[in-house]
Structures are given as structure tokens and as C-alpha cells.
Amino acid sequence: MSGDRAERAEAVLEIDLAGIVANWRLLARRVEPARCAGVVKADAYGLGAPRVSAALAAAGCRLFFVATLDEGMALRGALPACCEIAVLNGPAPGSAEEFVSHRLIPVLNEPGQIATWAVASHRHGGPAAMLHVDTGMARLGLTLPEFEALADAEPYEPGEIRWRALISHLACADHPGHPLNNLQRERFTSARSRLRGVPASLAASSGIFLGPAFHYDFVRPGAALYGVNPQPGSPNPMRQIVRLKVRILQVREVDRGDPVGYGAAHVMDHPGRLATVAIGYADGWLRSLSHRGSGRLGGTRVPLIGRVSMDLAIFDVSAVDPALARPGGSIELLDDDYGLDAAATDAGTIGYEILTALGRRYHRVYRDEPHRC
Ligand SMILES: *Cc1c(COP(=O)(O)O)cnc(C)c1O
């Protein structure tokens, strides 16, 4: 990207790759001797899967998870051959050949996917797959009776499915006291004992913080790598890795009683100054932040007032030095002090949604990009 583009950008999203790597290392150390994979589905939660994954690979991450075959195919070329890529949604009918030719590991979630893969596996000399067992979430994965039936039939004949891992997913890991956590762990431990020698993985970001009993052979963090707090309600151990700042397009003086924005949904209760910035719900600055969000300008909190429009939002900058609050200046929307979780609280959602909604129109700047390996 040219400097010109950065100069005229209306919104700039800064992504700290070194910070993502630092977050991965912190988790990897915490779970030793278990290994730490990296979840980069949904384009690394919106931050750019090829660049994020290359940075993680350079730091030593060797196993990556995406959601779909298309994501896996797009990622394959960005990663060294020593890296494995697993696809959580598994193979759609007719897609097994593409998994094989792109060296992608399907996660098999239901009996039909297993049957599909058994055929491909036989034809191609046993490429690996992961098996997902549902231990209490009712989302993806074999039911416990389906798993028992499969385990009874193991080991398969040579040329049938070679299991790279057995995985399951926790429903309530962000609530450490929830009884489902231990129930899922017990079910998973017993499932694992039926597939001897197959690496096991239960924990995602929050599950890592439930303790070593949840770590098994490898863990699968996504959100925590990107700065979302894996332990809501406790101090966040992860580094903030996104910064978002947005340009002020126009500043105006308003009087007490003046209506502001669509629906005249805000009426000024004091005379003041408003700044209109180039970000809206089409950029993932959610409409539920209307009347509730805030930005920072010269270190001062500036409240978002009125409704968020598609491409615009309005901030009350009355408290800020007019020399700063001027067209061409910029308001910070995400930074170290007001991060994904703070924005999520204001929007009535979770940090995951703020992150994955971050807009495609932003000019993206990657800090500390490592060399490709
Ligand atoms: C998304 C996902 C993860 C990563 O979850 P985070 O909470 O973002 O760490 C891990 N495993 C599975 C099966 C997932 O769907």
C-alpha cells in the first residue's frame, strides 16, 4: 500500500502481529507440555489469516484451524509445508479430493462425513482426519452413542481413516464454575480412552484457563490470540493488538435543543461542538453502539451521540481543545484502554463479534511483520 493511501485513509486499523505472537507464546507456555495450535477461521477473526498465520508459524505454531474448505485452500499457500491446517466444518459431499490435493485435514463431525472420508482415505492411502465428539454442546460432533459405535468398530482395517486427533468443544468455558465444564471433561476423558494413541484436544481460549486438566495434548485458542479476555470478569492477561482510529470529516457548533442524527434521536442538552467521523455500521461499528459508545481524542473520552449511520457516526467533542477537534484530526475508537471487550460491553455483545465485524474498508497497517519462513 502506498503512503498516499494511508494519508487519505478515513479509518485506519492497526494490527500488531508481534502482539498476537506474544499472546500465542503466553498461552503456549501456560499449557506446556501440551502444544498450542492457532485458530484463524473467519480470516483470523477478521484480521487477515495469511499474515496472522505466517507470523504464528514463524513463532513455532504448527497446527492451524479454519472453519471452511475455502478458508483452508486460501491459507495453504501462505504457510510453510510443515504446518498442518485443519478444517472445522469438515468435508461437504464431493469435496474430499480438494482436501487431499491441498493437504487439508478435515474435522469429521457426523457419520456422513466419516463415510465420505473413509472412501477418500482408502483411495489416497490414508490421509489424516480429526474426529469431533460432542460432549455436551449439541452443535457439531458425533453424539456419544455414535462415538461408542465407532470406537467399538476400531481399529479400522489398514487404508481406512487415520486419526490425527480427537477433539471436543466446551460450551461454558468462560464460566469457570459452570458444572458442564467438568461433565464435558469427564466425558471427553472417557472418549479419549477408547481411541488409544490419538492426540486429544478440548480447550479453546477460555478452556485454557480452567487448568491443566483441560489441556490434554493440544489447545485451540482463537479469540485470546487477538486480545479478547478469555476470563470475563477477571483482569485480561492478553495484550490488545488492534487499534482503530477514524478521521474527523466535519466539526460543527450546536445549540441546546438541536436534534442530532437520524430520527432526531438525540437532542442536545447543552450548547457544544460535534465531530462527524467516517465510520458506521457498514464498517462493523455496530448500530447498538448508538448513544452508548465512545472514542478518545487527545486523551479525552468523547461520547458517541445519536444513532450510528451506515458510514458515519457523531461524537460530542465539546470537552476537547478545538485545535484537536478539527476536520482532518482523528478519534481513536479502539486502543489499549478501550479494547474489544469494552466496546463489546457498550454494544451489548461479546469481543468476538466486535472483532469479526471490523470493516473491510479500513486501511490496514500491520506492525512488526516477520519474514516469511
Ligand atoms: C472457534 C473455535 C475455537 C476457538 O475458540 P476461541 O474461543 O476463539 O478460542 C476452537 N475450537 C473450535 C471447535 C471452534 O469452533
Side-chain angles (χ1 to χ4, degrees):
M1 300 271 179
S2 71
D4 292 357
R5 169 99 213 279
E7 278 302 300
R8 67 179 149 81
E10 295 187 339
V12 177
L13 182 70
E14 224 181 85
I15 298 161
D16 176 7
L17 291 173
I20 297 176
V21 165
N23 284 339
W24 182 80
R25 289 207 166 107
L26 184 122
L27 299 175
R29 270 197 303 274
R30 192 178 177 105
V31 303
E32 273 172 1
R35 305 293 297 267
C36 191
V39 179
V40 293
K41 63 195 183 190
D43 199 27
Y45 293 43
L47 299 178
R51 294 172 104 145
V52 167
S53 305
L56 291 174
C61 183
R62 291 291 173 265
L63 174 58
F64 295 83
F65 283 85
V66 295
T68 68
L69 172 59
D70 284 346
E71 289 177 356
M73 286 164 47
L75 189 57
R76 186 71 272 179
L79 284 177
C82 60
C83 291
E84 295 178 294
I85 302 171
V87 178
L88 289 165
N89 290 359
S95 68
E97 299 296 322
E98 281 176 300
F99 275 85
V100 174
S101 63
H102 289 86
R103 295 206 310 102
L104 302 172
I105 303 173
V107 176
L108 306 182
N109 297 296
E110 57 91 40
Q113 289 186 337
I114 295 174
T116 299
W117 194 254
V119 173
S121 182
H122 188 66
R123 186 175 311 138
H124 294 281
M130 295 189 186
L131 182 62
H132 190 169
V133 59
D134 174 29
T135 50
M137 192 170 181
R139 189 178 70 166
L140 280 180
L142 292 189
T143 63
L144 291 174
E146 285 168 344
F147 176 80
E148 290 299 326
L150 177 140
D152 287 343
E154 285 278 325
Y156 280 155
E157 299 299 312
E160 298 239 30
I161 299 176
R162 186 164 59 85
W163 296 118
R164 169 64 181 83
L166 175 69
I167 75 165
S168 190
H169 196 53
L170 295 166
C172 303
D174 54 345
H175 290 97
H178 200 291
L180 192 51
N181 292 324
N182 278 326
L183 183 59
Q184 288 198 264
R185 184 176 56 75
E186 282 160 17
R187 287 172 174 164
F188 189 62
T189 295
S190 108
R192 179 203 199 191
S193 72
R194 308 254 3 234
L195 283 190
R196 291 204 182 281
V198 175
S201 173
L202 178 61
S205 295
S206 295
I208 290 171
F209 292 83
L210 296 176
F214 288 81
H215 297 164
Y216 295 91
D217 298 300
F218 67 90
V219 296
R220 311 183 308 270
L225 300 176
Y226 313 118
V228 173
N229 189 354
Q231 303 171 283
S234 300
N236 190 352
M238 314 316 298
R239 244 203 240 181
Q240 289 307 298
I241 56 92
V242 290
R243 290 202 170 73
L244 177 61
K245 68 181 185 197
V246 57
R247 183 190 293 272
I248 298 172
L249 298 176
Q250 185 169 358
V251 173
R252 75 182 63 249
E253 307 280 338
V254 286
D255 278 335
R256 184 189 156 95
D258 281 352
V260 179
Y262 276 126
H266 181 87
V267 176
M268 293 301 293
D269 62 3
H270 59 271
R273 235 167 328 105
L274 304 183
T276 301
V277 302
I279 191 174
Y281 59 77
D283 302 298
W285 212 245
L286 306 179
R287 197 164 175 277
S288 56
L289 284 162
S290 299
H291 313 292
R292 306 194 52 192
S294 67
R296 273 123 321 267
L297 179 49
T300 304
R301 179 183 174 276
V302 290
L304 190 160
I305 61 171
R307 292 185 189 156
V308 175
S309 310
M310 186 185 294
D311 315 298
L312 299 168
I314 303 167
F315 290 84
D316 185 341
V317 296
S318 308
V320 179
D321 179 351
L324 286 173
R326 57 176 172 72
S330 53
I331 293 182
E332 278 154 27
L333 293 185
L334 291 173
D335 55 26
D336 287 354
D337 295 328
Y338 185 88
L340 298 165
D341 293 299
T345 300
D346 281 344
T349 181
I350 55 175
Y352 292 68
E353 191 180 25
I354 298 290
L355 191 56
T356 53
L358 289 174
R360 302 290 168 263
R361 280 195 287 198
Y362 304 146
H363 177 63
R364 284 160 185 249
V365 178
Y366 290 86
R367 297 286 177 216
D368 285 300
E369 187 160 21
H371 295 294
R372 293 272 171 102
C373 58

